[in-house]
Amino acid sequence: MRAYAANVYTTVVEELMKGKQRKFIAVEQEFFRLWWDGVATDRHKQQVHQLLQEGRLEFVIGGQVMHDEAVTLIDDQILQLTEGHGFLYETFGIRPQFSWHVDPFGASATTPTLFALAGFNAHLISRIDYDLKADMQKNKKLQFVWQGSPSLSERQEIFTHVMDQYSYCTPSQIPFSNRSGFYWNGIATFPDPPKDGVYPNMSLPVTDTNIHLYAQTMVANIKERAAWFRTTDVLWPWGCDKQFFNASVQYSNMDLLLDYINKHSDEFGVTVQYATVGDYFQAVYSRNLTWEIRNSQDFLPYSTESFQAWTGFYTSRSTLKGIARRASSLLYAGESFFTQYVWKHPESSICKCGALRQLQSLRWAVSEVQHHDGITGTESPKVKDMYMNNLMYGMFNVKKLMASIILDVNNAKKNGEVYSSVYVKDSGTPGATDVDQYVVVYNPLAWNITTFVTVSVSRLEMSVYDELGHSVPAQVQSSTESHSTYDLYILVEISGLSYRKYNVKPLNGKQSAFIGKSVKYKRKDITRADQQSQQLLPVVNNCYQVSFDQSTNLMHSITERETNQTVQLTQEFLEYHVNGDVMKGPISDNYLFAPNASAVPVSKAVGLEVVSGNLMTEIRQYFYSNITSQDYVYAVYTRMYTVPEGYEGHLLCHRIEQEYSVGPLELNREAVLRTSTNLNTRQLLYTDSNGYQIQKRQFKAYENNTVARNYYPMVQTAYIEDDTTRLMLLAERAHGVSSQGNGQVEVMLHRRLWNNLQWDLNYNLTLNDSSVVRPVIWLILGTKAVTNILYRTSGLALEHRPVVFFGALSGDKPKLPGQLQNSVHGSPVTVPPNLHLQTLSIPGWRYSSNHGEQVRSVRVGKQKEGDADFSRVLLRIRHLYEVGEDPVLSQPVMINLKSLLKGLGSVMVVEERSLTGTWDVKTLKRWKWKTSQYPSKGFSNSTKTSENFIVTVHPKEIRTFFVYFQGQ
């Protein structure tokens, strides 16, 4: 910020004011907002307003960051885009209309849909596979109309421009000097800029003697590029990473060069002008050509040459990836919790502005980590620590807010309960001891859920009661994490967006929780296993029988009980060994994955312990490097649930939950869990794209580096299948995933690397990650029809697990409240199983929904005043299914927003908005690019406005609304 970003905005704004012809584009709002709030003078601010009105400063994308496309979740992409767009619209009355996704490592097919829904007219990407780019370039196919979603197809298509081989940086070689050209800034130095203004590596200045040579070099490059595109307009990006921090020297040299070329345009055959991305796309659009359509195939993975497959970052810094997702999920819960509180308890004692600031701290943290060098794990340890600290701080704030809401609402009831404290699981407070404790559990999903929550307790004999004093099914057993505590599993049944309280007491009377009994089996040497005398140990619930081979202690098969179909299924941990010396060959680093050879099995011996109880059986497998090793390197905890009569246990029964413990790894090892089945999958793999849609991944053989180039990102889902049966994997953080053999799927869980590549050493990008990671994956096995019904809701149930709080009651032995309370807190908000309530929040933006009004208030300087607006509620609803995916669930759904939200109050007004809220959909008219499918060019306007609060949501739609309730 201090060495570079602040100086870009300060000097660029000053320089733009000095020449009417000069222009500039800016992307990431996080840096801009830090400058705007902390550095910019009033004069700078006035100049920014003027430059935006004149179209000489243009914000493109306009999110908080330029998000990664491979390992991010669609919810978080939308969050960070909404966060930036809200600021820009509130402050300047402007709405970005073009993208500039030049740096993410590969391009997802979710992004074009996202940007179309946000009202963009064109999309721009750069990093795609090197051989594919060369081919597209040669055939003038770098521009096309992309229909990223098969279900939304032409309704949300977008014109897409792929940058040519020079990408987003100006080529710096100049044939007439051994100094670089075109980068007159040089390199920023920190913390002390040079007194004489001479920075390292400043390019050769433009002078009378070299201006003709400079012009020839630039024109030659422009003409080379012109041959790769269909129109005579060439986009020539001027700049690169960390440029324009010293804009006066940059613009003065650019001015000279552009003037010279234009004065000699007859000789050169080229005219040049300063432009924004919008200017370029406007020029191409007005040519009125007919463009090819690209379907929903993405551009992943991304390789820059055959041994440079950028597939390592799908797993790099797994801990950060996990925390980023927990933070996102907590934010989702906190937003709906706070929104309900504001509308149901208007006379509340909690300061709303302070509460909003607590939520905003987590919005910022979750937004910033979506950066393409954030959640990707491609940052230095220092920057990773910053992301982690900001996430932890934001999570702490939101937990504190939720706890104070619970306290406020419950103490307001005056029914004899006094909460002395409400705190959260990981705030370091000891688990339930001899005192009575309340466990408060919030379900952040708009569906009724039945699931287990885990609480750490200090003894085996416990009882659990609900608010009415009825006994609640629970199971206590030894903990996998600690020798001094036990894990208490409580079966919770909670309506949508509601919370319930459970009382955990030391045992009194006979109503005890079930106790899980442990049986330990002898450690087995798997290299000497006797295949002849196969003895199987079955573990059964209502949906599956999972069998373990007692000669190896490994999983052997899973039987799906409804169809009685058995799939042979084994799991093993392997490691890819990678090279750390650039003199000896290709290396792996934070970005790249370059294995030396096939993966090597890590353990020769496996220990087994089975903890079984009436509600759950946990199979604990410990993997040792050999039969005599003291410590295990890897562990798998597999949990199967049995739901008692009278509970809706469909989802719970169908998941086989696995938690892994991996690490610390040895250096230059990449750890995978390989699941091998007897399904004839023809090596086809399916992976999700940002938790939004599914991509089909056909195994491709390459001359070199085939293993790494067949790795794909799994953000939430991956599966393999044969003609009848499907094995699904659901994840709570991103991983690399691949199918390296028929019937196989392997997930990369962890990486620890070191190499001596100078660039990696300079930026501390060697990924010497010695942590232990504990990711969770849910397995679902069944027919395609059954898994289709289960996996969308299950994936979201894993993503948005209930939030658990503890409340200690003050006073000696409180009695359970005599009068019957409403046993569920909150009026449930529920949507059908094929819809997902994706957002329910109070954004706080003060902008007017009427565009004309908003622009006027910005012009007269009104937008600076006032508190946050608490009257506007942001609601998003997403249809989870594709057209034709399921006979029932793929149907459009009619939903009455007034009755959906009646628990919050009486809905008075609903306005349908663009994805990030800044457009009224009735006035949003995107450019319609001509395609063979639709020859006439015009504006595309796809709105189906709601009549009397009833909305029909079609497959894969994400609908965004502002909702206003009757004031109280």
Side-chain angles (χ1 to χ4, degrees):
M1 179 65 198
R2 282 170 41 217
Y4 162 65
N7 296 331
V8 172
Y9 288 115
T10 300
T11 64
V12 164
V13 167
E14 288 166 0
E15 288 307 309
L16 290 177
M17 296 309 291
K18 293 177 188 169
K20 281 283 185 215
Q21 77 286 11
R22 295 173 171 180
K23 297 194 175 185
F24 192 76
I25 63 165
V27 176
E28 297 180 316
Q29 289 312 298
E30 176 146 333
F31 275 128
F32 180 77
R33 288 170 79 170
L34 288 169
W35 176 77
W36 183 260
D37 292 337
V39 181
T41 61
D42 285 347
R43 184 175 162 77
H44 285 139
K45 291 185 176 184
Q46 181 200 329
Q47 290 171 336
V48 169
H49 278 282
Q50 182 187 332
L51 291 166
L52 287 166
Q53 276 174 32
E54 292 172 5
R56 299 200 293 117
L57 173 63
E58 179 174 86
F59 286 113
V60 289
I61 310 178
Q64 283 292 92
V65 295
M66 185 189 297
H67 68 252
D68 167 68
E69 299 196 32
V71 299
T72 48
L73 202 55
I74 187 169
D75 311 56
D76 300 330
Q77 297 175 356
I78 294 170
L79 170 78
Q80 72 84 22
L81 206 56
T82 303
E83 190 59 34
H85 283 190
F87 165 76
L88 285 174
Y89 195 50
E90 181 174 277
T91 314
F92 305 113
I94 61 158
R95 307 177 280 203
Q97 290 176 32
F98 304 97
S99 104
W100 181 258
H101 252 227
V102 297
D103 214 17
F105 322 130
S108 151
T110 303
T111 314
T113 304
L114 201 72
F115 288 161
L117 288 166
F120 287 14
N121 287 318
H123 176 37
L124 184 148
I125 61 177
S126 181
R127 292 183 182 267
I128 66 170
D129 227 46
Y130 70 101
D131 39 10
L132 179 61
K133 182 178 275 200
D135 187 60
M136 290 168 76
Q137 194 168 275
K138 195 175 72 199
N139 296 307
K140 294 193 183 189
K141 289 188 187 295
L142 289 169
Q143 293 169 318
F144 47 83
V145 170
W146 197 353
Q147 297 181 351
S149 159
S151 294
L152 301 175
S153 66
E154 76 283 347
R155 287 189 294 140
Q156 299 301 343
E157 67 191 12
I158 193 166
F159 180 80
T160 303
H161 171 101
V162 184
M163 290 187 132
D164 58 47
Q165 69 191 40
Y166 292 105
S167 190
Y168 62 91
C169 293
T170 321
S172 60
Q173 293 76 24
I174 44 175
F176 51 92
S177 167
N178 57 7
R179 279 175 73 180
S180 69
F182 305 106
Y183 291 100
W184 297 287
N185 285 284
I187 293 171
T189 53
F190 179 74
D192 303 308
K195 301 265 183 293
D196 57 2
V198 178
Y199 286 85
N201 290 24
M202 290 175 92
S203 285
L204 188 69
V206 175
T207 59
D208 290 349
T209 50
N210 68 21
I211 193 162
H212 189 73
L213 297 169
Y214 249 125
Q216 280 180 318
T217 305
M218 183 167 170
V219 167
N221 183 265
I222 290 169
K223 287 182 168 170
E224 180 188 8
R225 291 171 164 194
W228 300 328
F229 292 94
R230 290 179 58 203
T231 76
T232 52
D233 316 287
V234 177
L235 175 67
W236 210 74
W238 208 322
C240 193
D241 295 0
K242 302 194 182 74
Q243 287 297 307
F244 284 93
F245 61 89
N246 183 5
S248 63
V249 56
Q250 191 65 25
Y251 275 109
S252 55
N253 281 282
M254 289 159 80
D255 283 350
L256 293 169
L257 196 45
L258 298 187
D259 286 348
Y260 184 86
I261 292 174
N262 287 336
K263 283 206 183 76
H264 300 85
S265 60
D266 290 353
E267 174 195 341
F268 289 126
V270 163
T271 58
V272 285
Q273 68 179 70
Y274 284 110
T276 62
V277 186
D279 294 338
Y280 171 71
F281 280 127
Q282 183 68 65
V284 176
Y285 182 62
S286 59
R287 300 280 178 194
N288 211 359
L289 299 185
T290 299
W291 301 96
E292 277 187 13
I293 291 173
R294 179 179 178 88
N295 66 9
S296 59
Q297 192 55 48
D298 63 9
F299 292 97
L300 289 163
Y302 161 62
S303 294
T304 35
E305 54 181 72
S306 64
F307 280 107
Q308 290 182 352
W310 295 50
T311 56
F313 80 92
Y314 301 159
T315 305
S316 296
R317 299 205 192 286
S318 178
T319 303
L320 175 64
K321 285 176 164 64
I323 293 283
R325 286 274 281 274
R326 295 309 305 136
S328 158
S329 163
L330 178 68
L331 176 63
Y332 173 75
E335 296 279 15
S336 65
F337 203 61
F338 176 64
T339 303
Q340 293 185 83
Y341 176 71
V342 166
W343 284 101
K344 290 179 188 170
H345 303 275
E347 65 299 315
S348 62
S349 64
I350 291 174
C351 161
K352 290 192 298 199
C353 291
L356 193 59
R357 279 196 296 277
Q358 289 175 301
L359 284 166
Q360 278 165 341
S361 69
L362 190 52
R363 288 177 193 169
W364 266 64
V366 174
S367 292
E368 75 179 8
V369 79
Q370 307 310 317
H371 187 280
H372 57 273
D373 283 313
I375 195 169
T376 50
T378 55
E379 65 284 273
S380 69
K382 203 156 121 186
V383 178
K384 179 261 296 177
D385 291 342
M386 178 206 75
Y387 284 123
M388 288 290 264
N389 290 339
N390 291 353
L391 288 165
M392 300 308 269
Y393 173 69
M395 288 169 82
F396 174 74
N397 281 334
V398 170
K399 286 171 177 171
K400 212 162 63 175
L401 170 63
M402 293 178 78
S404 55
I405 289 175
I406 293 169
L407 207 56
D408 187 53
V409 172
N410 282 282
N411 287 345
K413 285 205 176 120
K414 300 282 179 279
N415 52 11
E417 300 174 32
V418 184
Y419 280 75
S420 55
S421 63
V422 174
Y423 51 89
V424 283
K425 196 150 109 191
D426 39 76
S427 59
T429 318
T433 50
D434 294 343
V435 299
D436 279 13
Q437 287 226 337
Y438 266 109
V439 179
V440 180
V441 185
Y442 178 61
N443 166 24
L445 289 165
W447 301 314
N448 300 337
I449 59 157
T450 304
T451 190
F452 281 95
V453 295
T454 319
V455 176
S456 181
V457 293
S458 57
R459 50 191 291 172
L460 268 178
E461 296 79 21
M462 303 299 281
S463 308
V464 182
Y465 301 94
D466 66 13
E467 294 96 331
L468 305 179
H470 298 143
S471 178
V472 173
Q475 180 171 323
V476 190
Q477 59 195 41
S478 65
S479 166
T480 55
E481 299 212 15
S482 120
H483 295 302
S484 57
T485 62
Y486 299 94
D487 289 337
L488 170 65
Y489 287 82
I490 305 171
L491 183 65
V492 299
E493 227 184 355
I494 312 177
S495 322
L497 303 197
S498 303
Y499 71 92
R500 290 189 66 176
K501 291 185 303 193
Y502 298 91
N503 191 203
V504 177
K505 301 164 95 77
L507 185 60
N508 59 346
K510 53 193 181 303
Q511 297 266 312
S512 153
F514 298 113
I515 293 179
K517 300 279 192 298
S518 162
V519 179
K520 289 193 170 72
Y521 293 83
K522 204 170 142 234
R523 196 187 294 190
K524 296 291 161 65
D525 183 339
I526 57 177
T527 56
R528 321 251 297 266
D530 179 1
Q531 289 309 309
Q532 307 316 314
S533 63
Q534 205 171 52
Q535 285 232 297
L536 298 182
L537 170 73
V539 178
V540 183
N541 72 0
N542 297 335
C543 297
Y544 301 113
Q545 171 173 310
V546 178
S547 300
F548 290 81
D549 181 340
Q550 291 197 287
S551 62
T552 61
N553 286 341
L554 293 172
M555 198 181 281
H556 169 272
S557 58
I558 301 179
T559 304
E560 205 277 318
R561 293 183 62 190
E562 205 178 337
T563 56
N564 204 21
Q565 172 158 27
T566 299
V567 173
Q568 306 293 316
L569 190 146
T570 57
Q571 291 183 312
E572 60 176 335
F573 289 104
L574 302 101
E575 286 174 353
Y576 287 101
H577 293 205
V578 297
N579 160 49
D581 183 354
V582 287
M583 302 315 287
K584 293 190 177 151
I587 51 109
S588 272
D589 63 11
N590 297 45
Y591 309 88
L592 309 177
F593 172 39
N596 284 348
S598 299
V600 182
V602 284
S603 65
K604 297 195 167 64
V606 181
L608 179 69
E609 178 185 0
V610 178
V611 181
S612 51
N614 295 34
L615 299 178
M616 182 188 80
T617 303
E618 183 173 61
I619 301 99
R620 303 173 179 175
Q621 292 166 290
Y622 301 98
F623 293 76
Y624 299 88
S625 44
N626 59 54
I627 198 83
T628 56
S629 311
Q630 279 292 287
D631 298 317
Y632 60 87
V633 194
Y634 292 87
V636 184
Y637 308 104
T638 303
R639 302 182 189 107
M640 291 168 64
Y641 299 101
T642 303
V643 184
E645 285 294 308
Y647 286 85
E648 167 42 61
H650 190 59
L651 282 185
L652 198 49
C653 172
H654 274 95
R655 80 177 67 131
I656 297 171
E657 182 178 305
Q658 292 197 316
E659 183 180 350
Y660 313 101
S661 173
V662 181
L665 301 177
E666 288 173 40
L667 215 45
N668 287 326
R669 300 284 187 269
E670 318 220 10
V672 301
L673 174 79
R674 182 177 290 169
T675 303
S676 306
T677 70
N678 61 347
L679 298 175
N680 178 20
T681 60
R682 301 187 295 286
Q683 234 173 318
L684 256 181
L685 173 68
Y686 295 83
T687 65
D688 72 319
S689 170
N690 311 107
Y692 178 64
Q693 59 192 35
I694 297 289
Q695 291 273 341
K696 184 177 179 174
R697 309 296 192 184
Q698 185 77 57
F699 190 86
K700 298 187 182 85
Y702 295 96
E703 231 165 274
N704 294 312
N705 214 17
T706 293
V707 169
R709 292 186 75 178
N710 279 284
Y711 255 80
Y712 295 92
M714 163 196 190
V715 178
Q716 223 173 25
T717 314
Y719 63 86
I720 54 173
E721 63 184 19
D722 65 10
D723 298 334
T724 59
T725 307
R726 183 183 286 169
L727 173 68
M728 306 229 46
L729 283 63
L730 301 172
E732 39 72 81
R733 70 186 72 178
H735 301 280
V737 62
S738 186
S739 178
Q740 296 285 337
N742 189 25
Q744 271 182 16
V745 57
E746 65 181 52
V747 180
M748 191 181 287
L749 298 175
H750 202 11
R751 323 176 69 214
R752 185 180 181 188
L753 310 167
W754 188 87
N755 69 72
N756 56 7
L757 179 68
Q758 202 50 53
W759 194 84
D760 280 343
L761 293 175
N762 290 350
Y763 290 99
N764 200 354
L765 290 173
T766 52
L767 201 66
N768 187 357
D769 181 350
S770 58
S771 64
V772 176
V773 296
R774 296 193 68 131
V776 171
I777 286 180
W778 289 358
L779 307 179
I780 299 178
L781 181 75
T783 61
K784 291 182 192 182
V786 167
T787 54
N788 242 350
I789 293 167
L790 293 170
Y791 87 94
R792 304 248 181 218
T793 36
S794 296
L796 284 158
L798 174 56
E799 188 66 38
H800 298 296
R801 286 165 286 187
V803 185
V804 179
F805 295 89
F806 300 108
L809 289 170
S810 58
D812 299 335
K813 282 281 173 206
K815 306 201 170 28
L816 280 161
Q819 72 274 52
L820 291 182
Q821 297 172 237
N822 170 9
S823 69
V824 173
H825 298 266
S827 321
V829 176
T830 42
V831 295
N834 50 355
L835 294 188
H836 170 45
L837 186 80
Q838 187 167 309
T839 310
L840 182 67
S841 73
I842 294 178
W845 300 120
R846 298 186 305 270
Y847 58 72
S848 165
S849 304
N850 177 307
H851 183 59
E853 238 170 72
Q854 175 58 14
V855 170
R856 276 192 299 280
S857 81
V858 168
R859 294 266 157 93
V860 300
K862 265 227 201 89
Q863 82 293 345
K864 295 190 187 75
E865 303 147 21
D867 280 338
D869 175 5
F870 289 92
S871 67
R872 174 187 290 154
V873 170
L874 174 65
L875 169 73
R876 278 196 198 94
I877 294 177
R878 162 154 60 114
H879 197 303
L880 295 172
Y881 283 80
E882 297 282 0
V883 169
E885 189 179 351
D886 182 90
V888 179
L889 297 169
S890 292
Q891 297 302 318
V893 185
M894 273 174 78
I895 189 155
N896 183 329
L897 300 181
K898 199 176 171 81
S899 57
L900 174 72
L901 299 173
K902 66 176 183 292
L904 278 75
S906 173
V907 173
M908 300 308 286
V909 180
V910 172
E911 299 167 349
E912 181 155 9
R913 306 293 290 183
S914 61
L915 183 69
T916 59
T918 53
W919 291 87
D920 175 342
V921 290
K922 291 194 282 297
T923 61
L924 174 58
K925 295 193 169 15
R926 294 195 308 122
W927 295 355
K928 182 80 186 160
W929 296 73
K930 256 177 29 179
T931 60
S932 45
Q933 202 176 341
Y934 294 92
S936 68
K937 192 185 85 174
F939 290 104
S940 93
N941 190 1
S942 59
T943 64
K944 298 171 293 300
T945 40
S946 50
E947 291 305 308
N948 53 26
F949 307 113
I950 292 177
V951 180
T952 303
V953 188
H954 291 265
K956 275 300 177 233
E957 281 186 341
I958 302 173
R959 305 284 289 278
T960 304
F961 305 94
F962 287 163
V963 180
Y964 303 88
F965 293 93
Q966 188 172 349
Q968 286 162 318

